[in-house]
Amino acid sequence: MPDDETQTPTLNRGPAARTSHELRAQRLPGAGEAPAPWLLRLIAVGLVLAALNLRPAITSLGALLEEVREGLHMSGSVAGVLTSVPPLCFAVFGIMAPRLARRFGAGAVVCAGMVAIAAGLLIRPYIGSTAGFLAASALALMGIAVSNILMPVIVKRWFPDRVGTMTGLYSMALALGTALAAAVTVPVTGALGGDWQAGFVVWAVLAAVAVLPWIVLVRDRTPAPGQPAPAPGPDAAPAEAPALRITRSRTAWGLACFFGLQATAAYITMGWMPQIFRDAGVSAGTAGLLLAVTMAMGVPLAFVIPRVASRLKQQGPIVVVLGLCGLIGYGGLYLAPAAGAWAWALLLGVANCAFPLALTMIGMRARSGAGVVRLSAFAQSTGYLLSIPGPLLVGVLYQHSGGWGLPIALMAGLMIPQMVAGILAGRDRTIEDEC
């Protein structure tokens, strides 16, 4: 792989300083053509803005779930279903992303995804019924799902020599959006007079802003640099695509299992960690802050880990380090949840950075743009399906055992297969070698 730190040429004027006429005058590059520096900068901005919007729809709901239940007269069982809707939607809608990208272009699909997020977040607080709230949430999650799948594809297409750097950049933005939504949704709602509906709309505005950079790429359907152009026709795929049978690849299955197990840990952490601390005697406010600290750990590490991973031939050592941090963190929760609360929150925050590592490996385990889009769809969709039972099982164990011993043991136990799957996925090979 070329050096990850290859620099982009600079311009005297950035994209913001150019007029719309100048932007229209610039041609999007075809296969083999070098993209204009202003375009690369605009895409980088688009990646960051898109990533900021990939989690607030979920974490803002968690912050205001009690208010939503009261406002919509929602039963406790339906509220519980809401916590399992995101991974289900990510799995179901994510499968659509490769075909949509081939037909309309990855940039156009991400643009539509940002529109769907903005629309879903805008209408769901005011729709006035539980069914409508679920439907509007599904619309936003559909936009998140296709964008989740296509982020590695965008990086591979436009930044083939800086996969680690750009993956780290948008992973850091994703972690920042997650932490911000968890930390500020309640204060912002209070500042708006305690209206939970207005508190949700704030995040719709952020999604609407994210639409703007992607408008430039709506008409871009060119393949990744160095890859063959698609055959004529709206449904045409790259020439090597029909021969790729991704289910035959051990690396793809390893990556899907690794992605699913890290997603399981992340959703369990987001859904249950504050309750673990509260049951141990930690105040509600401090428990929420501990969760915010865990999520915030992903901001710096999500930028560092992909850069380091992209320089290594095998990512297994990083997988093991993250897994050991998770094991120690869960062990601390079991033995002394209140006494070492801050240490356990930090360690689990490090362990949760398996997500940007998984995204980096998606970009590294395929040689072509077509391979990346198929691997991304397969690993993320399969992985999210695997993650659905985890948070529900933790709740069942907690309810029937009357304590957190068994649930924490389950969380710790899942770190072992996660490390095994990550080592398998981190080997120096590509899916094209196995399909």
Side-chain angles (χ1 to χ4, degrees):
M1 176 177 291
D3 184 53
D4 190 60
E5 294 302 311
T6 303
Q7 299 296 313
T8 302
T10 58
L11 293 180
N12 293 331
R13 293 190 300 160
R18 292 173 175 265
T19 66
S20 59
H21 176 76
E22 287 176 302
L23 292 179
R24 287 194 298 269
Q26 295 277 356
R27 290 178 62 249
L28 291 170
E33 297 180 22
W38 70 264
L39 184 58
L40 292 178
R41 292 179 178 180
L42 186 65
I43 295 167
V45 171
L47 283 169
V48 169
L49 288 175
L52 284 172
N53 285 279
L54 295 183
R55 292 300 180 270
I58 303 168
T59 49
S60 64
L61 175 60
L64 296 174
L65 184 57
E66 188 62 32
E67 288 78 4
V68 172
R69 286 184 58 188
E70 294 176 359
L72 297 178
H73 307 291
M74 188 182 295
S75 68
S77 59
V78 174
V81 169
L82 276 176
T83 63
S84 297
V85 167
L88 178 62
C89 287
F90 292 167
V92 172
F93 295 127
I95 296 173
M96 301 162 49
R99 180 173 178 81
L100 291 173
R102 288 195 301 270
R103 182 175 180 85
F104 301 107
V109 176
V110 173
C111 184
M114 294 300 107
V115 172
I117 295 170
L121 292 180
L122 180 63
I123 65 177
R124 79 173 179 178
Y126 301 106
I127 207 160
S129 69
T130 298
F133 189 92
L134 285 169
S137 295
L139 175 62
L141 292 168
M142 178 176 64
I144 295 172
V146 295
S147 300
N148 270 336
I149 299 297
L150 295 178
M151 289 291 101
V153 180
I154 296 290
V155 169
K156 186 77 168 183
R157 187 257 183 273
W158 293 98
F159 304 96
D161 296 337
R162 285 172 286 166
V163 170
T165 297
M166 299 309 298
T167 300
L169 183 64
Y170 80 73
S171 296
M172 183 174 64
L174 190 151
L176 179 60
T178 304
L180 278 176
V184 309
T185 297
V186 172
V188 167
T189 301
L192 295 174
D195 182 1
W196 63 269
Q197 295 168 312
F200 278 134
V201 171
V202 169
W203 302 109
V205 174
L206 180 62
V209 173
V211 173
L212 301 178
W214 295 100
I215 294 175
V216 176
L217 292 181
V218 166
R219 298 181 63 84
D220 175 41
R221 303 183 189 180
T222 55
Q227 300 303 318
D235 293 316
E240 75 276 14
L244 192 61
R245 299 292 184 269
I246 199 162
T247 54
R248 298 179 181 177
S249 169
R250 293 182 179 180
T251 298
W253 279 108
L255 191 49
C257 291
F258 178 67
F259 194 96
L261 289 166
Q262 68 79 29
T264 299
Y267 281 106
I268 289 174
T269 299
M270 286 188 287
W272 292 108
M273 195 175 80
Q275 192 63 49
I276 294 175
F277 285 127
R278 292 182 68 175
D279 287 351
V282 176
S283 68
T286 301
L289 185 58
L290 286 165
L291 177 60
V293 167
T294 298
M295 297 295 102
M297 284 297 295
V299 177
L301 291 180
F303 187 69
V304 173
I305 288 175
R307 290 167 63 87
V308 175
S310 67
R311 294 174 181 270
L312 300 176
K313 288 186 176 181
Q314 300 192 40
Q315 289 72 46
I318 303 178
V319 170
V320 172
V321 170
L322 297 180
L324 290 176
C325 287
L327 285 173
I328 296 171
Y330 289 131
L333 282 180
Y334 183 86
L335 296 172
W342 293 101
W344 317 142
L346 289 172
L347 284 168
L348 291 174
V350 175
N352 278 345
C353 288
F355 175 72
L357 176 61
L359 294 180
T360 305
M361 288 196 287
I362 287 173
M364 297 179 68
R365 295 286 88 89
R367 288 195 298 266
S368 66
V372 171
V373 72
R374 291 194 178 200
L375 179 58
S376 183
F378 177 77
Q380 293 197 49
S381 296
T382 305
Y384 280 124
L385 280 175
L386 293 174
S387 73
I388 292 171
L392 297 176
L393 183 57
V394 166
V396 170
L397 290 176
Y398 173 60
Q399 180 178 349
H400 288 280
S401 67
W404 286 107
L406 282 177
I408 292 175
L410 172 66
M411 298 178 213
L414 289 176
M415 296 305 300
I416 304 301
Q418 178 178 317
M419 286 191 282
V420 173
I423 292 171
L424 176 64
R427 295 176 302 169
D428 184 20
R429 61 188 63 191
T430 63
I431 58 172
E432 288 87 352
D433 298 330
E434 300 175 333
C435 296

